[in-house]
């Protein structure tokens, strides 16, 4: 055998690995920074959330979802002309290819809308088969398409699964107002549209949460932005993350009236069940988004006479009595469901609405990830065996 052949069949000796201190295993990566980011900032002790340095309360009061998305994506507030242009681009890209509608029609009506959304986004990516996004313009256009089409997908699946026809988006309405129009076919109530707009602003980004991290991991492999968003959607759907808003309203429905709340929650505490919509890895005080949504939840339920808000106050009280010392407070999902229910939205659509907002954050992180990209490849602590014999199947 020639030297060359020997060289190709013998395993090369590994390069010596420089000795580095082995870090401890940190479950859930709590407190471990995985990237430098300037997209958003949370101070969990003070209850502060900023997007690109601007307090979320300011944005909720003065901004729109479109403007906030521009801010997250580009790092700066747009000029009037830039904002008009961005809004126009979002409106232009709202429509879905008819084959995507056909695909949604093939999905089971019993399927969860988050799964339909994930499937829909992955499928939309197949219409734009570009594998590499090398120029800022290519990336910008992909961001616009993804943000613009998400509400159309959510509304289309919700109507189709109930046996109604999809409603084609209008381009003369805002992002939030058009969503209502596509859900109902009616001219949206401006006050309701503004409340949804604020909810979208409040959900648009939240530092290195599970879905954003999932998106950044996929982005770090240079996968396309449709894959980035569909993987982030999968992560968001879980009950420990975005799925908590649906679970919260289901809990309130199960409780039924404020007088039952204490008994139900006490029982959950005894059984060591987690109370949905409460607790947070970062916030050890009230989530600032929950404070804003609580005001809307109260206003809307006072008008409608619905008891969800009264139930929520009781649940909050009992949670506080049992868990204040653990820093467990209502999070964004505690009141958002009440607001959405008052806006006439079905509980299964709560998490998709969260996703319609968070897509702007995910994509801002994707753009940031690509600037100094290095593929994520963490390590593990191996706890399995070594040098085990292979036992033939007949002897097992
Ligand atoms: C958000 C969440 C996943 C954070 O998880 P985390 O940082 O890993 O915290 P842990 O799940 O380890 O909880 C720490 C302690 O607080 C308790 N805890 C956390 N959230 C709780 C909740 N909602 N209800 C009751 N107890 C809770 C845990 O049981 C644990 O108690 P222990 O130390 O006695 O074992 C967690 O608070 C939770 O599951 N909340 C409910 C789901 C939810 O609302 N998610 C949306 C978040 S925006």
């Amino acid at each position: 055998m020639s030297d060359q052949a020997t060289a190709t069949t013998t395993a090369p000796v590994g390069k010596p690995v420089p000795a580095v201190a082995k870090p401890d295993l940190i479950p859930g990566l709590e407190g471990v920074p995985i990237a430098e980011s300037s997209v958003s900032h949370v101070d969990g002790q003070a209850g502060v959330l900023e997007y690109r340095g601007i307090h979320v309360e300011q944005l909720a009061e003065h901004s729109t979802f479109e403007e906030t998305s521009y801010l997250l994506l580009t790092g700066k507030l747009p000029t009037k002309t830039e904002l008009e242009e961005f809004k126009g681009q979002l409106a232009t890209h709202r429509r879905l290819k008819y084959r995507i509608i056909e695909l949604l029609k093939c999905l089971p009506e019993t399927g969860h809308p988050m799964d339909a959304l994930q499937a829909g986004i992955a499928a939309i990516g197949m219409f734009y088969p570009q594998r590499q996004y090398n120029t800022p313009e290519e990336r910008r256009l992909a961001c616009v398409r993804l943000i613009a089409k998400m509400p159309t997908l959510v509304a289309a699946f919700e109507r189709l699964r109930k046996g109604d026809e999809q409603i084609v988006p209008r381009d003369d309405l805002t992002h939030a107002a058009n969503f209502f129009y596509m859900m109902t076919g009616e001219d949206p109530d401006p006050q309701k549209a503004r409340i949804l707009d604020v909810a979208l602003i409040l959900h648009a980004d939240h530092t290195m949460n599970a879905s954003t991290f999932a998106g950044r991991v996929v982005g770090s492999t240079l996968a396309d932005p449709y894959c980035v968003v569909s993987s982030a959607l999968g992560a968001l759907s879980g009950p420990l993350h975005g799925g908590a808003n649906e679970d919260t309203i289901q809990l309130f429905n199960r409780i039924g009236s404020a007088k039952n709340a204490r008994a139900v929650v006490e029982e959950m505490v005894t059984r060591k069940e987690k109370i949905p919509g409460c607790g947070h890895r970062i916030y050890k005080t009230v989530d600032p988004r929950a404070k804003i949504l609580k005001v809307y939840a109260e206003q809307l339920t006072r008008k409608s006479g619905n008891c969800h808000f009264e139930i929520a106050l009781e649940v909050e009280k009992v949670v506080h009595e049992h868990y204040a010392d653990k820093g467990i407070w209502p999070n964004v999902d505690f009141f958002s469901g009440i607001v959405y229910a008052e806006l006439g939205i079905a509980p299964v659509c709560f998490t998709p609405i969260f996703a319609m907002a968070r897509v702007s954050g995910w994509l801002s992180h994707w753009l940031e990830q690509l600037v100094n990209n290095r593929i994520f490849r963490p390590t593990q602590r191996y706890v399995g065996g070594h040098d085990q014999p292979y036992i033939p199947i007949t002897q097992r």
Side-chain angles (χ1 to χ4, degrees), residues 109-320:
E109 69 278 9
T110 48
H112 197 283
M114 275 303 278
D115 298 335
L117 188 55
Q118 192 181 24
I121 290 293
I124 288 173
M126 297 175 76
F127 288 90
Y128 309 101
Q130 172 179 355
R131 303 303 293 175
Q132 289 185 346
Y133 286 76
N134 293 325
T135 70
E137 181 50 26
E138 288 168 346
R139 295 177 193 178
R140 193 198 58 78
L141 183 57
C143 293
V144 165
R145 274 204 184 104
L146 277 156
I147 298 168
K149 291 188 196 305
M150 197 85 117
T152 320
L153 268 177
V154 176
F157 184 66
E158 183 55 9
R159 287 186 64 84
L160 292 168
R161 78 189 191 93
K162 290 197 291 198
D164 296 325
E165 277 303 307
Q166 184 240 351
I167 293 173
V168 177
R170 271 171 51 184
D171 52 16
D172 61 322
L173 295 173
T174 65
H175 202 71
N178 175 58
F179 176 68
F180 276 123
Y181 170 71
M182 293 188 297
M183 290 287 267
T184 62
E186 288 163 17
D187 275 344
D189 168 5
Q191 200 196 349
K192 283 186 170 183
R194 176 57 190 158
I195 294 173
L196 179 63
D197 194 30
V198 172
L200 295 178
I201 292 171
L202 295 177
H203 286 82
D205 196 53
H206 206 243
T207 73
M208 210 52 70
N209 54 82
S211 57
T212 301
F213 181 43
R216 281 188 84 129
V217 170
V218 174
S220 81
T221 70
L222 301 185
D224 70 62
Y226 301 90
C227 289
V228 168
V229 172
S230 58
S231 60
L233 280 162
L236 186 71
S237 68
L240 296 186
H241 194 4
N245 53 16
E246 192 182 332
D247 290 351
T248 305
I249 207 78
Q250 274 161 4
L251 172 67
F252 296 163
N253 286 337
R254 181 159 69 85
I255 291 173
S257 83
K259 67 177 172 26
N260 302 333
R262 176 167 294 275
V264 174
V265 178
E266 300 270 7
E267 208 185 314
M268 290 175 79
V269 171
T270 310
R271 289 203 304 258
K272 295 196 183 312
E273 276 177 43
K274 281 187 172 174
I275 318 297
C278 295
H280 201 276
R281 175 66 63 79
I282 307 289
Y283 292 119
K284 298 304 164 205
T285 181
V286 183
D287 180 332
R289 303 163 300 173
K291 273 193 205 164
I292 299 172
L293 290 168
K294 185 177 186 177
V295 175
Y296 284 116
E298 180 168 19
Q299 278 172 11
L300 290 164
T301 49
R302 291 263 178 271
K303 240 196 230 172
S304 70
N306 191 311
C307 61
H308 278 150
F309 187 70
E310 301 304 329
I311 296 173
L313 289 184
E314 275 304 302
V315 174
E316 188 182 18
K317 204 190 288 173
V318 185
V319 167
H320 185 73

Side-chain angles (χ1 to χ4, degrees), residues 316-336:
E316 188 182 18
K317 204 190 288 173
V318 185
V319 167
H320 185 73
E321 286 168 19
H322 287 275
Y323 295 128
D325 57 330
K326 279 192 183 177
I328 294 169
W329 296 82
N331 60 49
V332 68
D333 298 314
F334 195 73
F335 292 108
S336 65

